[in-house]
Amino acid sequence: MINAIVTLYYPDERVMENVKKIAAQADRVFLCDNSPTPSPAFSEGVGENTEYLFFGENLGLSRAFNRVLCRSGEWKPDHLVFFFDQDSTVEPDHLAVMAEEYLFLHRAGYPVGALGPVFFNESRGEVEEPRQRQDLSKTAYRTSSLITSSMLCSYGDLEKIGFWNERVFLDLADWDLSWRLMQKGKICCMTRRVTLRHKIGNGEVKFGPLRIRRGSAFREYYQTRDCLYLLFRSYVPAKFRIRFLLMLTVRPILHLIFLDHRKDRLCYIMRGFLDFFRSRGGEFQRKKKCE
């Protein structure tokens, strides 16, 4: 059985089109709405195989996914589960080809824990693939992490690692899941048989050789807080620990120099540090705004 779980946040008509494309290819689709108010167009139903879940609060990515995965009696170990964010657009047969590739790699003897597609970065206008990879076949290779959208896992493997890590709220949850699967002897792979159109951030700022991704100011908060949390996890690869140190030191300086909304970014970064050391999780507390 092919299942898909999609997180929503203030979804619009374009998101509806994305969801319909996914629903046409899956046996079941679960829509997890983290918006503060329900979306009538989605709550009325996208299709018979689609279930809309409105939480009334922003649970973040990990908790929202787990609300579906931890429902007893609905899952079997061999069920295939795709994860999507609302901005990703799939082509016809996307899910079927991904599932076929996943099963092919397993039959070939590879302990695949998660499979993802290569993706076309709409912000940059090009297909992106990791620089460090190990070829497994003509179309698939092993990599050290995957992005959330279109990630494919079996329910059994997700259950073995305790599902998504709810201490990681948003941006780094996919890396965390990848590394915990690898800790259990699984591998993460990507396939060139499928290309996903995916928008990352709001474009880039170029300054000489530097290419700085422009993201929303409030994301600085979650990236800082979750980065600090993962920095101290034993399963995080050494090269990513170094990357996290740079994300916590050099990157904030670059963002404050080259990106807009500098005052807001500084506030969110400082709150990220502060709330980590206060052991605060969940959504950013809007009672103390940075704007």
Side-chain angles (χ1 to χ4, degrees), residues 59 62-64 66-67 70 164-169 180 282:
L59 299 182
S62 298
R63 285 182 64 198
N66 285 351
R67 283 286 184 93
C70 294
W164 291 75
N165 185 351
E166 296 187 9
R167 287 291 305 273
V168 185
F169 189 81
R180 288 188 295 117

Side-chain angles (χ1 to χ4, degrees), residues 93-112:
D93 297 324
H94 178 108
L95 275 66
V97 173
M98 285 277 294
E100 182 181 273
E101 184 82 336
Y102 177 89
L103 296 174
F104 169 80
L105 290 170
H106 269 278
R107 287 194 295 268
Y110 296 110
V112 180

